Amino acid sequence: MAQSFIIVEPDPIVCMDVQGILLTRYPQGDIIVGASLSDVGPAIHICGAETTLFIKGTLFADDDKLQHATRTAAARGGQVVMIGHTGGVDFAAVFVELPFTTEMVLAALDRNAPDSTLDPVG
């Protein structure tokens, strides 16, 4: 099964950066992007273990529905990468700080490789 990605990031530059990194590394992957849950909600609600979600930390903190959808996706085995720190994360997630590098984003995708530049939670 192909790797899939969901990016929830309201900043178009950050979103394009993450999308570009993913397209380079996973040219066959499916990438869905949106600025909010309303843009990507159906994809989040059906995603599974093959999906990695990139979520803007401050957006997550301010949106109860996004929090619920992200928790549900994580419970189904989806990987969650938070862009920037946020509170209220009570599931396994990796945090990537802004500004990030290509290496930081790719390291966040490796579920088995601990990296001191990342902050794994859960």
Side-chain angles (χ1 to χ4, degrees):
M1 181 171 289
Q3 181 72 21
S4 66
F5 303 93
I6 300 171
I7 304 169
V8 185
E9 170 59 65
D11 183 324
I13 301 300
V14 174
C15 188
M16 286 178 10
D17 285 347
V18 173
Q19 188 175 12
I21 292 166
L22 296 174
L23 284 170
T24 300
R25 177 65 175 93
Y26 301 95
Q28 302 301 327
D30 294 319
I31 302 174
I32 298 169
V33 299
S36 68
L37 178 62
S38 62
D39 296 332
V40 298
I44 287 179
H45 293 297
I46 64 167
C47 74
E50 75 287 349
T51 304
T52 299
L53 292 90
F54 285 84
I55 309 286
K56 174 76 171 203
T58 54
L59 190 63
F60 176 86
D62 294 337
D63 187 335
D64 291 340
K65 290 181 181 178
L66 179 59
Q67 290 175 22
H68 177 73
T70 304
R71 283 186 182 97
T72 301
R76 286 194 303 252
Q79 182 178 15
V80 178
V81 178
M82 290 287 178
I83 302 172
H85 277 281
T86 186
V89 178
D90 55 0
F91 50 86
V94 176
F95 293 84
V96 176
E97 283 300 317
L98 288 168
F100 53 76
T101 64
T102 298
E103 292 76 20
M104 291 167 66
V105 171
L106 293 177
L109 296 173
D110 186 352
R111 295 180 191 220
N112 300 314
D115 185 330
S116 62
T117 64
L118 305 175
D119 184 12
V121 173

